[in-house]
Amino acid sequence: MDKITAFEVFSEVAKRKNFTIAADSLNMSRTKVTRYINDLKDWLNCRLFNRSTRSVSLTFAGELHLSKALRILDLTTNLKNISQTTTATPKGKLRISTSTAFGEAHLSTAIAEYLREYPDVEVDLMIHDKNLNLVENRIDVAIRSTNDLDPSLIARPLITAKAIICASPSYLEMNGVPQEPEELKNYNTLICSASKPYDKWTFKKENKTTDVPLKSSLNSNEILVLSRAALAGAGIVRLPCFLAVPLIVEGKLVPILKKWETYEHTIWATYISRDHQPATVRTFIDFMVNYFNEKKRIYSVQCTT
């Protein structure tokens, strides 16, 4: 039995909670996946999964062994990547995660440009709107938008994106344009439930700070949903510059309350360790820093269009 491959199969089945889906993900037959699990079970002398006709779950022993298996896989990945640290041309798989909004707005384009420069790299891009554990999911680089970084991660800032309060021309024509933040109580707002606090917006101008409670007909943890609802005339929305600016330039959204500053956040490239950093990780992060340096003028200030 190839124990390293068995650990890979074990972690994939644990992640997918399904032997067939794990087999498809690993490009293996279900029979081979089952054989690896049985061999690993015999080698460890314990049952790893509880199985029924409808579900697969880890046993208590399986949970204990999974954490160790993931550490082993991480170590073997580092061993495989050590040779890359001394090569000028990066090659191999690079696993990246990011949010739906940022992935759709900019990261896919940035990755395409990176791959043109480094054609021997294969990118596996995971789009997820919750922060995945980098070790458990074997993620090399996570692009995260936050003002509260995980202290266990190493991070390099890419851009600081201010938010823009905006609405569709049709909504403002029908309801009027608020001139002061306090007037938002008379309007419908579209709220991102992932923001904290999500039921109010804070505005700043000079030395004055104003917290405005919101009335909302739509809350969502996905900012793209709110963006599309605003385009359809559903209400006033607070969007990050990287989403709002193109829509404002096209005339699809109109910025309001531009004299007031509101929420801003930093977008980071985060990773686990500087030790034996693969050339793929090093070159990708350097590329991203340079790529967004060219865009900081656009995204670090309020839109004045």
Side-chain angles (χ1 to χ4, degrees):
M1 177 184 61
D2 182 340
K3 295 181 181 62
I4 298 303
T5 303
F7 287 140
E8 290 175 342
V9 173
F10 173 41
S11 66
E12 194 68 18
V13 174
K15 176 182 176 182
R16 305 291 183 178
K17 297 181 174 61
N18 186 291
F19 276 62
T20 301
I21 295 174
D24 291 341
S25 175
L26 294 165
N27 197 27
M28 297 170 66
S29 69
R30 191 181 188 284
T31 301
K32 192 170 184 179
V33 166
T34 301
R35 177 164 57 82
Y36 270 114
I37 295 299
N38 287 336
D39 288 347
L40 187 59
K41 177 186 68 175
D42 293 341
W43 184 66
L44 295 171
N45 194 30
C46 66
R47 185 161 52 91
L48 300 171
F49 294 102
N50 292 315
R51 299 175 62 181
S52 69
T53 55
R54 294 186 177 180
S55 65
V56 174
S57 61
L58 285 165
T59 63
F60 179 71
E63 290 180 354
L64 294 177
H65 286 300
L66 178 62
S67 62
K68 295 179 177 64
L70 291 171
R71 287 199 292 271
I72 290 170
L73 289 172
D74 187 49
L75 287 171
T76 56
T77 299
N78 286 338
L79 287 173
K80 292 176 183 178
N81 287 327
I82 284 174
S83 61
Q84 292 188 32
T85 63
T86 58
T87 61
T89 304
K91 59 179 63 178
K93 181 169 287 189
L94 176 64
R95 197 169 173 87
I96 304 166
S97 74
T98 192
S99 67
T100 305
F102 194 71
E104 182 173 307
H106 290 294
L107 191 58
S108 56
T109 302
I111 288 173
E113 292 190 20
Y114 171 80
L115 290 175
R116 279 196 291 272
E117 188 168 340
Y118 300 102
D120 293 329
V121 177
E122 176 190 347
V123 169
D124 182 0
L125 178 60
M126 302 176 66
I127 301 293
H128 227 292
D129 288 312
K130 67 176 182 178
N131 290 339
L132 300 177
N133 184 290
L134 273 64
V135 175
E136 290 180 0
N137 292 278
R138 284 179 277 164
I139 294 168
D140 298 305
V141 182
I143 307 299
R144 293 184 175 173
S145 304
T146 182
N147 291 329
D148 187 21
L149 270 176
D150 183 340
S152 68
L153 298 177
I154 301 168
R156 288 182 66 182
L158 300 179
I159 56 174
T160 298
K162 291 189 176 183
I164 297 177
I165 310 297
C166 50
S168 70
S170 62
Y171 181 84
L172 295 175
E173 183 177 351
M174 182 177 298
N175 297 277
V177 180
Q179 302 300 315
E180 297 293 332
E182 293 87 346
E183 296 176 29
L184 287 176
K185 64 184 179 181
N186 301 317
Y187 293 80
N188 186 54
T189 51
L190 310 173
I191 298 176
C192 179
S193 57
S195 300
K196 296 179 182 179
Y198 75 90
D199 57 350
K200 68 179 180 180
W201 290 341
T202 299
F203 293 85
K204 295 179 181 179
K205 184 171 68 172
E206 298 173 351
N207 295 323
K208 182 180 179 181
T209 298
T210 302
D211 289 333
V212 180
L214 304 173
K215 178 182 69 175
S216 177
S217 63
L218 175 61
N219 300 339
S220 175
N221 66 332
E222 174 47 63
I223 197 70
L224 286 176
V225 171
L226 303 178
S227 172
R228 288 161 185 159
L231 290 171
I236 295 174
V237 70
R238 184 177 71 180
L239 296 178
C241 282
F242 62 79
L243 282 181
V245 168
L247 297 173
I248 291 170
V249 170
E250 293 173 12
K252 295 179 180 179
L253 292 177
V254 177
I256 59 176
L257 302 173
K258 292 190 292 182
K259 294 180 180 180
W260 293 78
E261 294 182 0
T262 185
Y263 178 82
E264 67 179 34
H265 60 277
T266 302
I267 299 174
W268 307 83
T270 66
Y271 52 104
I272 298 170
S273 175
R274 294 188 180 93
D275 293 338
H276 303 300
Q277 192 177 77
T280 50
V281 173
R282 185 183 67 252
T283 56
F284 178 73
I285 293 174
D286 288 344
F287 179 90
M288 291 293 288
V289 169
N290 292 332
Y291 180 89
F292 284 103
N293 266 337
E294 300 176 6
K295 300 181 181 295
K296 282 183 179 178
R297 183 180 58 84
I298 299 174
Y299 299 122
S300 64
V301 296
Q302 284 281 12
C303 177
T304 57
T305 304

